[in-house]
Amino acid sequence: MKLSDLFNNNEFASRHISFADEAALLAALGEQDMAGFVDNTVPQSIRMPSELGLPDALTDADALLKIKGIAAKNKINKSYIGLGYYPTRLPNVILRNVLENPGWYTAYTPYQAEIAQGRLEALLNFQQVCIDLTGFEVAGASLLDEATAAAEAMAMAHRVGKVKSERFFVDSRVYPQTLDVMKTRAKYFGFELVVGDIQTAFEGDYFGALLQYAGTDGDVVDLTDTIGRLKEKGTVVAVAADIMSLVLLKSPAAMGADIALGNTQRFGVPMGFGGPHAAYFAFKDEFKRSAPGRIIGVSKDASGKPALRMALSTREQHIRREKATSNICTAQALLANLAGMYAVYHGPEGVKRIARRIHALASAFADALVSDGLKVVHEVFFDTVLVDLGSKEKADQVFQTALSLGYNLRRAADTQIAVAFHEESSREDLVVLYYIFTGKQTFTLSDEVKGRLNGSLLRSDAILQHPVFNRYHTEHEMLRYLKKLEDRDLAMNRSMISLGSCTMKLNATSEMLPITWPEFTDIHPYAPADQAEGYRELIDSLEAALKAITGFDAISMQPNSGAQGEYSGMLAIRRYHEAQGHPERNVCLIPKSAHGTNPATAAMLGMKVVVVDTDEHGNVNVSDLKAKAEQYKDTLGALMITYPSTHGVYEEGIRDICQIIHDNGGQVYMDGANMNAQIGIMQPAEVGADVLHMNLHKTFCIPHGGGGPGMGPIGLKAHLAPYAPGHTLTDTRSASAGETAVSAAAFGSAAILPITWMYITMMGKQGMKQATEWALLNANYVAKKLGEDYPILYTGKNGRVAHECIVDLRPLKAESGITETDIAKRLMDYGFHAPTVSFPVAGTLMIEPTESESKAELDRFIAALKSIRGEVRKVIDGTWPKDDNPLVNAPHTADDLADEWTHPYSREEAVFPLPHNREHKFWPSVKRVDDVYGDRNLVCTCPPLEDYQD
C-alpha cells in the first residue's frame, strides 16, 4: 500500500468526467488510446507548443478552503453608498429553492417553450412587476444592467423617433457609470451626447432623452413638465428609475415618458461587487417590435390551452444578423426570476412596507441632522440624504469616522456626503449615523416620521394586484409554488442538454457554494479598494489562469455576457485603429460559419459587414477571404471568426487565415463560443488571434440560469490591451485612462467569478486538458453512432468533428415531410431537450454532448434519436399518416392520455417510447405552442383575473 496513492488531488476531474468509459468510447472509434485519438482529430498545425501553464489540481475541500481564505480578505462594511446598488434581503425560501437549486440555475434559455413553462411563468411575473411599477403596457424579460439598458433605450429612441437629429440629451443627474456606458455606445452609433440640467433639455432638438428619477444625489423631481415639453418637440423620453422608489412614486408612464429602465437589484438580489443583476426595460406598446432583448408572451398550445413562449423571436440574431435591433444574448433570467419571486413572496403590502421603511429612516435621519443645524441639500428625496458639511475638513472627518465604525458613505463632492438608506437599514444604524455626523451619542427616534415625498409625487394607482402576488405569502405556499414551476422545466438535473455552441456541462456543487457567501455577496462595487482585496486577488488569479489558457497578454473581466464580450473585443479593435490614425478601417469580414451574433455586434460598432463564403466542408473559403481582404485592404478593420467553426470543424488553415488579415491591415477577433475544443490543445493567441472573448457561462462552468447570467471576458494581445473597456469610478488595471466602459460595474458580474475560479482550480492543468479531450471524444462518439442513421453534415481531419456535430435532417424531411421542429418536439417525449435547431444550417440539429456526460447518458440520447429515425420510417412507409403521427403531434402531455384516444399509434408509443421513460418520465405541461398566434396577438402580462377565477 502506497500512501501517495491514497491522496488524490485530481479527484474532482474524475467526477467531472467519466474516465471509466474511455476504453469503450475509443474502441467505438477504432482508436487505441487518447493521444492517438487527439492526433487523428486535431490538426498538428494548431497544436500548443508547450504544456498548459496552470497549477496542479486541488481537491474540492482544499479549493474551498483556499477560496475561503481569499474571500476573508474582503471586508464587509455596512454600505450606504447607493449609486444604484444596495444591501438587500433575499428570502431564504427563494435563496434555497431558486438561487441554490440546479432545477433553476442549470436550465437553458427557453427557446423550447413546451419544456420551459415554469421559468417562462416566472419571467412573466417579472415582466408584470415591471409593468405595474412603471405604468407601461409592455416590459422585457430583463437586460444586463441599468447602464446597458440606458444605452439600449438610446438606440431604441433613434429607431422609433421622428426627429431628424443625431443628438441625445442626458440628464446631468444620471449615474456616472450609466453615462460612461452611454458614451461608448453613442460614439459608434454616431450620436452626440449632450449632458445638462433638465431645465435646459427642451432648448435643443434631440431624437431622445434620458432623465434620472431619483437623481444620483437623491433628489426626486416631478418630471411631468420636462417630459411634456420634450415630447412637444418629438423627443422620445426614457426615464431611469429606482425600482424600489417606484413602489411609492408616481410612475414614469404617468409622467408621460415613453420608456422606463433601471436595476432590479433592490428586489432581493445581493450587491455582489456589481452583479449579476437584472435590468428592467418597459415601454409603450407601439414600440414593442423595436424593443431590445427578450419578451415573454402568452400564446396557446395545439389544444387551445394558454401557453407561454419567447415572443417576437424573429429579432434573433441568427436570423436577422447585421439587421438585428440589438443582441438578444443580453438577459439575466435567473436574476429576473429572483426579483420577480421577491415581489411574489412579499406581495404589494410587503414591498410597500419595505419602501416606506427605507423612506421613513432616510426622512428621520435628515430631520435629525437639520434640527442639529446641518445642511441637507435636497428637501425631497426617497432614500438618499445629501449632506453639505460646509468644509472639506469636516467632510473628511465624517467620512473617516464612518469608515472606522464600519460604515461606507459616498463622497459626493469636497464638502458633501451622501447617505443611501436601504432594506437592511435599522434603528441602530440611524443612531450610529447620527453620531458620525454630529458627534452626539444620544438620539431619540420618534415613532411618527414625516416623509419628504409630497402628495403630488406619490402614486395613486394600485400595484401588484394580480393573484400571483397575493397568494404565496407563507413559506409553505411559496415553496410549493416554486416546486410547481420547477417541475414544468427540463433542466440539467433531469437529463443532458446537447446544445451545439452552448456547452451545457456540469455545474458542480463545489463550484456553486461560494457564490452565496456574504464575503462575496455583500461587497458594493464602489467600496474602498482595501475592502475588496479578496475580489481583486480572485480576479487577478483568474486573469492569470485565462492568460495561460489562451496565450494572451491581458484580460478584461468587465463584459458581463458573451454578447458584451463580442462587443468589447471589437471595440478594442476599433479603438486601436483610431489610435493608429485609421478610423476608416471599419470593414468587418465575417464567414458564413461564424457565430450568429457576430454580425449584430459588428453593426452596433458602426462596421460594414462583408460575408465570406465557406467551402463544401464548412471551412472558410480561403480564396474568397483573400480576395475580399485585398479588395478592402485600405478599410479592413477586422475578421470575426469562430474557432473551431460553428460547423464543428477544426479549420487547418487558421494560421493562414489570420496572416491574410494581418497582411491587409486588419485584426483578428476570435469568437470563444467553442473554446471547449481548445483548452490545453491550442491557444488562440498563438495561432494568430488578436482578441478573443471567453464564455465563462459555457466553457468555464458558470451555469446558464435559464438564459443568464453570463460572463464574457476578453483576452487581448499587448497592442490591443490599452483599448479594453475602462471605468469612470474604478481602476480596472486593464485599460488606458479615459477609455469608457461597456458595463455598469468595472468587473461585470463579479459575484459569479468564484464558479470559474473553482472549476479551474479543481481541474488543474491536467484536468483542463482532459476536459477538452473528452469533449472531442464524446462528440465523435455521438457523431459515429448517429451517422449510422443520419448524415453528419461537416467533418474535418480523418472524417472527425471537433466538440460538436451537425446532423442533417433535410433528406429525411424531403422524403417524409417530418421537419426538424417535429423531431425537436418529439425528443421532449423521450425526456430530452432538443439540440440547437436549424443553426448554423437550416434543417439540421447541432449537437454538443460536452465532456461531463457519461457514456450511459450519451447512449440514452443516441437511442432516442435512433428510435425517432424508426418512427420517421413508419411515416415514410405509410404505417402512420403524415398528418397524424407521434412526431407531428409531439410533445404529448398527461392530459392527452386522459382524453379520448383516436390516433393510429398507441398511448404507450406516444409517451413511453423507450423503457427508461417509464421509470423517469418528464411530462411536458403543454402541447406544441403556436408561435404565430403569439406574435400576432402579443400579450406579455400575467393572465387576467378572470382566468384565475375560472
Side-chain angles (χ1 to χ4, degrees):
M1 182 186 299
K2 290 184 178 179
L3 193 60
S4 57
D5 293 339
L6 303 178
F7 290 92
N8 177 18
N9 280 357
N10 296 315
E11 66 181 26
F12 176 76
S14 65
R15 292 198 290 276
H16 186 80
I17 299 168
S18 299
F19 289 126
D21 295 334
E22 181 172 343
L25 293 171
L26 288 170
L29 296 171
E31 297 285 358
Q32 299 298 313
D33 54 40
M34 183 67 81
F37 162 72
V38 173
D39 285 343
N40 287 329
T41 303
V42 184
Q44 286 298 322
S45 60
I46 68 165
R47 298 292 293 273
M48 281 177 64
S50 59
E51 186 182 59
L52 191 58
L54 292 175
D56 290 332
L58 295 182
T59 65
D60 303 40
D62 288 342
L64 284 167
L65 191 63
K66 185 172 182 178
I67 199 170
K68 193 71 173 177
I70 293 172
K73 296 177 183 178
N74 289 329
K75 182 181 179 183
I76 304 175
N77 270 15
K78 294 200 171 190
S79 181
Y80 281 80
I81 296 171
L83 277 185
Y85 302 92
Y86 306 85
T88 61
R89 293 175 185 157
L90 179 61
N92 288 327
V93 66
I94 302 173
L95 171 71
R96 174 63 58 87
N97 294 288
V98 180
L99 182 56
E100 296 180 344
N101 181 354
W104 287 85
Y105 66 68
T106 69
Y108 182 57
T109 305
Y111 291 118
Q112 296 292 338
E114 296 82 359
I115 50 175
Q117 289 296 299
R119 273 171 296 120
L120 287 166
E121 181 173 328
L123 290 171
L124 194 72
N125 293 344
F126 172 82
Q127 289 180 177
Q128 187 67 58
V129 172
C130 301
I131 287 167
D132 279 10
L133 294 181
T134 65
F136 287 108
E137 303 95 332
V138 186
S142 79
L143 293 175
L144 291 175
D145 56 39
E146 181 165 336
T148 53
E152 294 286 6
M154 174 175 62
M156 188 164 94
H158 193 263
R159 288 195 295 274
V160 302
K162 303 292 193 294
V163 175
K164 301 302 180 186
S165 165
E166 298 301 307
R167 304 174 80 218
F168 186 89
F169 180 85
V170 182
D171 184 350
S172 58
R173 299 154 58 254
V174 79
Y175 292 141
Q177 67 269 25
T178 299
L179 180 59
D180 203 25
V181 172
M182 294 184 75
K183 286 178 179 177
T184 306
R185 290 279 188 96
K187 177 176 180 177
Y188 295 101
F189 281 139
F191 303 154
E192 178 190 353
L193 289 187
V194 179
V195 182
D197 188 293
I198 58 173
Q199 298 305 319
T200 67
F202 30 78
E203 293 176 0
D205 291 322
Y206 303 105
F207 70 84
L210 176 70
L211 311 179
Q212 190 83 34
Y213 181 62
T216 294
D217 292 333
D219 57 318
V220 175
V221 178
D222 190 332
L223 300 173
T224 305
D225 181 61
T226 300
I227 292 171
R229 294 179 69 176
L230 281 166
K231 289 176 66 62
E232 284 174 5
K233 303 189 76 171
T235 304
V236 177
V237 181
V239 172
D242 177 279
I243 191 74
M244 187 62 78
S245 74
L246 292 183
V247 173
L248 304 181
L249 292 175
K250 184 162 57 175
S251 72
M255 292 188 292
D258 301 295
I259 304 165
L261 59 99
N263 192 353
T264 60
Q265 182 261 323
R266 296 193 86 158
F267 273 32
V269 182
M271 292 183 290
F273 204 48
H277 306 133
Y280 73 85
F281 196 86
F283 42 90
K284 291 183 171 179
D285 181 75
E286 65 202 74
F287 297 161
K288 64 193 175 193
R289 295 182 189 274
S290 295
R294 301 168 180 157
I295 299 172
I296 306 307
V298 181
S299 186
K300 61 182 182 179
D301 74 359
S303 67
K305 179 181 177 180
L308 309 178
R309 56 183 284 276
M310 284 174 58
L312 304 177
S313 59
T314 52
R315 291 173 296 116
E316 234 293 9
Q317 278 64 42
H318 299 164
I319 301 165
R320 300 197 66 195
R321 296 177 73 82
E322 70 273 11
K323 295 182 177 62
T325 56
S326 73
N327 198 317
I328 203 169
C329 300
T330 51
Q332 301 276 23
L334 182 64
L335 294 310
N337 288 335
L338 292 178
M341 289 306 172
Y342 177 95
V344 169
Y345 193 47
H346 284 297
E349 295 309 312
V351 294
K352 285 178 190 174
R353 184 182 303 110
I354 293 166
R356 286 170 180 154
R357 184 174 73 237
I358 292 168
H359 180 60
L361 288 171
S363 299
F365 177 66
D367 291 344
L369 294 188
V370 169
S371 67
D372 213 62
L374 294 179
K375 180 181 178 182
V376 171
V377 177
H378 302 301
E379 278 289 319
V380 183
F381 52 79
F382 167 61
D383 63 5
T384 300
V385 180
L386 183 64
V387 186
D388 195 321
L389 292 150
S391 72
K392 181 178 183 299
E393 292 72 22
K394 179 63 175 172
D396 288 342
Q397 180 187 343
V398 167
F399 191 79
Q400 291 303 319
T401 301
L403 285 176
S404 69
L405 293 174
Y407 284 74
N408 289 345
L409 309 179
R410 179 167 63 86
R411 195 66 178 266
D414 278 351
T415 65
Q416 295 179 344
I417 290 179
V419 184
F421 287 80
H422 48 77
E423 183 181 5
E424 292 198 335
S425 297
S426 66
R427 293 181 179 89
E428 291 73 23
D429 287 344
L430 206 57
V431 173
V432 177
L433 289 166
Y434 178 72
Y435 166 77
I436 288 168
F437 278 84
T438 67
K440 296 182 179 179
Q441 300 276 5
T442 57
F443 176 75
T444 303
L445 177 61
S446 169
D447 199 43
E448 290 293 327
V449 179
K450 182 173 172 32
R452 294 300 190 102
L453 299 173
N454 60 51
S456 65
L457 285 168
L458 296 174
R459 69 187 311 146
S460 57
D461 55 322
I463 59 169
L464 306 180
Q465 293 302 293
H466 290 80
V468 73
F469 302 112
N470 294 278
R471 292 177 60 177
Y472 306 111
H473 299 160
T474 68
E475 182 161 337
H476 232 158
E477 287 296 317
M478 189 67 180
L479 178 68
R480 289 166 182 160
Y481 179 57
L482 294 174
K483 182 61 177 172
K484 179 178 79 172
L485 296 191
E486 180 192 347
D487 285 347
R488 292 178 177 175
D489 283 7
L490 186 68
M492 293 279 283
N493 61 339
R494 291 183 182 271
S495 66
M496 69 182 289
I497 300 179
S498 59
L499 289 150
S501 262
C502 284
T503 317
M504 299 288 289
K505 63 168 72 175
L506 171 70
N507 312 123
T509 307
S510 296
E511 295 158 10
M512 301 299 295
L513 287 174
I515 69 167
T516 54
W517 293 350
E519 296 92 339
F520 288 128
T521 62
D522 293 355
I523 306 296
H524 192 287
Y526 311 138
D530 63 353
Q531 294 177 21
E533 289 180 357
Y535 261 118
R536 288 287 189 162
E537 182 176 333
L538 179 85
I539 290 165
D540 288 347
S541 174
L542 200 48
E543 286 182 0
L546 294 176
K547 286 178 189 177
I549 288 167
T550 62
F552 286 103
D553 303 303
I555 304 289
S556 169
M557 300 299 292
Q558 187 174 128
N560 55 0
S561 76
Q564 288 284 71
E566 285 185 22
Y567 184 86
S568 300
M570 293 300 292
L571 173 69
I573 289 173
R574 290 233 63 186
R575 287 172 169 174
Y576 167 77
H577 284 311
E578 290 165 355
Q580 303 307 304
H582 295 294
E584 75 282 359
R585 288 196 170 276
N586 67 347
V587 169
C588 184
L589 302 183
I590 301 182
K592 289 180 180 178
S593 60
H595 206 235
T597 55
N598 291 172
T601 297
M604 288 171 68
L605 281 156
M607 301 191 82
K608 177 185 176 182
V609 174
V610 175
V611 177
V612 177
D613 287 338
T614 53
D615 63 23
E616 67 273 16
H617 303 294
N619 298 318
V620 172
N621 184 321
V622 178
S623 297
D624 188 51
L625 174 79
K626 192 171 191 296
K628 285 172 177 169
E630 291 173 353
Q631 178 185 350
Y632 294 102
K633 64 182 179 181
D634 295 330
T635 55
L636 179 61
L639 167 72
M640 296 184 81
I641 187 167
T642 303
Y643 199 83
S645 76
T646 304
H647 292 158
V649 175
Y650 287 107
E651 303 193 33
E652 302 214 23
I654 185 64
R655 291 183 188 273
D656 293 337
I657 287 169
C658 293
Q659 192 60 51
I660 289 168
I661 299 303
H662 292 149
D663 288 346
N664 288 280
Q667 296 286 294
V668 177
Y669 163 87
M670 188 174 283
D671 186 306
N674 295 342
M675 270 197 78
N676 223 39
Q678 294 182 3
I679 299 173
I681 287 179
M682 64 162 287
Q683 290 179 312
E686 196 272 329
V687 300
D690 298 290
V691 61
L692 166 101
H693 97 265
M694 294 160 260
N695 288 329
L696 301 191
H697 54 288
K698 294 182 181 181
T699 307
F700 295 94
C701 287
I702 292 175
H704 279 60
M711 273 293 276
I714 55 172
L716 308 105
K717 285 190 173 173
H719 65 282
L720 291 182
Y723 309 108
H727 199 273
T728 187
L729 296 175
T730 307
D731 178 12
T732 63
R733 302 195 296 213
S734 62
S736 295
E739 296 293 1
T740 52
V742 298
S743 302
F747 303 103
S749 295
I752 55 177
L753 294 179
I755 302 170
T756 294
W757 187 94
M758 285 291 292
Y759 172 62
I760 294 173
T761 300
M762 293 186 295
M763 291 290 277
K765 63 183 178 185
Q766 181 181 353
M768 292 300 292
K769 183 180 180 183
Q770 287 172 324
T772 303
E773 292 170 344
W774 277 79
L776 304 180
L777 182 60
N778 283 351
N780 277 279
Y781 176 74
V782 169
K784 172 82 170 176
K785 292 295 184 180
L786 291 181
E788 298 165 2
D789 293 87
Y790 302 90
I792 302 300
L793 190 55
Y794 297 114
T795 57
K797 179 182 178 183
N798 297 322
R800 293 281 164 74
V801 297
H803 64 307
E804 61 192 8
C805 62
I806 298 177
V807 171
D808 192 355
L809 303 176
R810 291 171 297 182
L812 210 57
K813 181 178 179 179
E815 189 177 3
S816 67
I818 297 299
T819 68
E820 63 277 10
T821 298
D822 295 330
I823 292 175
K825 302 306 181 186
R826 180 58 173 155
L827 272 168
M828 298 175 189
D829 290 328
Y830 285 81
F832 287 105
H833 192 294
T836 303
V837 179
S838 286
F839 174 77
V841 179
T844 66
L845 297 179
M846 183 163 62
I847 300 168
E848 181 180 359
T850 83
E851 76 277 7
S852 63
E853 296 298 344
S854 67
K855 181 176 180 294
E857 185 70 357
L858 299 181
D859 285 342
R860 202 167 69 86
F861 175 73
I862 291 164
L865 277 173
K866 283 179 172 287
S867 177
I868 287 172
R869 179 64 182 87
E871 292 175 345
V872 177
R873 199 171 292 117
K874 288 185 178 181
V875 175
I876 293 171
D877 67 21
T879 303
W880 291 332
K882 289 188 175 183
D883 61 352
D884 189 7
N885 58 69
L887 294 117
V888 298
N889 292 333
H892 297 82
T893 66
D895 286 346
D896 286 325
L897 300 192
D899 292 340
E900 182 181 356
W901 195 261
T902 59
H903 302 296
Y905 55 95
S906 69
R907 288 180 170 90
E908 183 175 26
E909 288 172 309
V911 302
F912 299 132
L914 289 176
H916 73 255
N917 295 124
R918 286 188 175 277
E919 58 186 70
H920 188 60
K921 176 64 182 175
F922 175 79
W923 292 97
S925 53
V926 296
K927 292 178 69 63
R928 195 173 304 193
V929 177
D930 189 331
D931 291 334
V932 174
Y933 177 88
D935 278 352
R936 288 178 178 170
N937 304 276
L938 181 64
V939 176
C940 66
T941 57
C942 291
L945 299 182
E946 54 268 26
D947 282 15
Y948 287 89
Q949 291 161 358
D950 292 345

